[in-house]
Amino acid sequence: GGAMSGRGAVLRGEDSEEEEESGSEGEVVAASTPAASAGSGAAGGGGGADDDDAGALPPPAADASGVEKMAWGLAAVLRPTLRQLTQRVNELQESQRELISALEAERTGIAELPEVRKVQETMAKAAAYEVKIARIRKVMETTTAQMAGVKKQVAAWQAQIAKNDSAARARRAKEAELDKALAAKPSASLVAG
C-alpha cells in the first residue's frame, strides 16, 4: 500500500511498512504530515474551525468498505483546496464586477464629453445626409438624361438648319443663274418694239 499523494491520508495494506500506526487491511488513516494536521486551518483558505466543520463529512463507519474509506480520505484531502479555489473564484468574480462597473462608469463619462456629443450628433444626422445625397444623385441622373435628350434634339435641329441652309443656297444659286440668263437675253417685247 502507499500514501495517497502524501497530503493527508494513507492507505494501509498487507505490505505496509509503517508499523507505528495501526489499522486493518485497506483502512484509511490520517497521516501525520503537516498538510493533514493543518489542512483545514490556515492552509484551508483561512476559514477557521467553524468553517471547516460546516461541510465536513462524518468519518466512515468502522465496517465501511475500503472504497468508502478511500473516498472519505480523498474528500478530506481535497476539501481545503476546493475551499481555497472557491474563495479565489469568488474574489475573481467580485473583481470582475468591479471592473465591469468601472468600465461602465468610464463609458458613461466618455459619452458625456462635449466632443463625443458633437460626434454623436453628427452621426445621428448621417442618415438624413445619406437621404439628401441619394436625392441629389437621382436629380443629377435625371438632369444628365434630359441633357442627352436636349443634345440629340439640338443636333437634329442643327442638321435641319444646315439642310435648309443648303437648300436655300442652292435655290439662291438657281435664282442667280436664272437672273443672269434673263439678263443676258433680251426680252421679246423689247426686241419687237
Side-chain angles (χ1 to χ4, degrees):
M4 288 178 38
S5 74
R7 289 202 44 177
V10 175
L11 177 62
R12 300 189 46 104
E14 294 177 54
D15 59 344
S16 175
E17 297 174 8
E18 299 177 22
E19 296 296 325
E20 301 89 76
E21 299 181 51
S22 63
S24 63
E25 180 177 328
E27 180 179 347
V28 176
V29 293
S32 59
T33 62
S37 58
S40 59
D50 292 340
D51 220 13
D52 292 340
D53 293 341
L57 297 173
D63 62 342
S65 71
V67 173
E68 289 174 345
K69 291 177 182 179
M70 284 175 49
W72 181 84
L74 181 63
V77 169
L78 295 179
R79 190 170 292 115
T81 303
L82 290 175
R83 216 174 273 123
Q84 266 185 322
L85 292 174
T86 302
Q87 181 183 1
R88 184 65 184 138
V89 165
N90 290 339
E91 290 171 3
L92 289 173
Q93 287 175 336
E94 182 60 29
S95 295
Q96 186 180 25
R97 281 191 287 276
E98 290 172 5
L99 180 62
I100 290 171
S101 175
L103 287 173
E104 184 65 29
E106 189 70 24
R107 185 179 67 84
T108 303
I110 288 173
E112 298 299 319
L113 293 174
E115 294 83 8
V116 173
R117 284 185 181 249
K118 287 179 185 176
V119 168
Q120 289 173 339
E121 290 170 6
T122 302
M123 294 307 286
K125 295 175 185 177
Y129 290 138
E130 287 178 9
V131 170
K132 286 181 182 180
I133 289 171
R135 226 179 286 137
I136 291 170
R137 183 177 291 125
K138 189 172 182 178
V139 167
M140 289 180 71
E141 288 171 355
T142 304
T143 304
T144 302
Q146 289 174 347
M147 289 295 293
V150 168
K151 284 181 181 179
K152 279 183 179 179
Q153 194 172 21
V154 166
W157 287 344
Q158 286 175 339
Q160 185 65 38
I161 290 171
K163 184 179 174 183
N164 290 345
D165 282 348
S166 176
R169 268 186 262 137
R171 193 180 40 164
R172 279 193 298 262
K174 251 186 189 179
E175 287 175 3
E177 282 179 32
L178 189 58
D179 283 346
K180 281 183 189 177
L182 288 176
K185 279 187 188 178
S187 160
S189 61
L190 286 178
V191 176

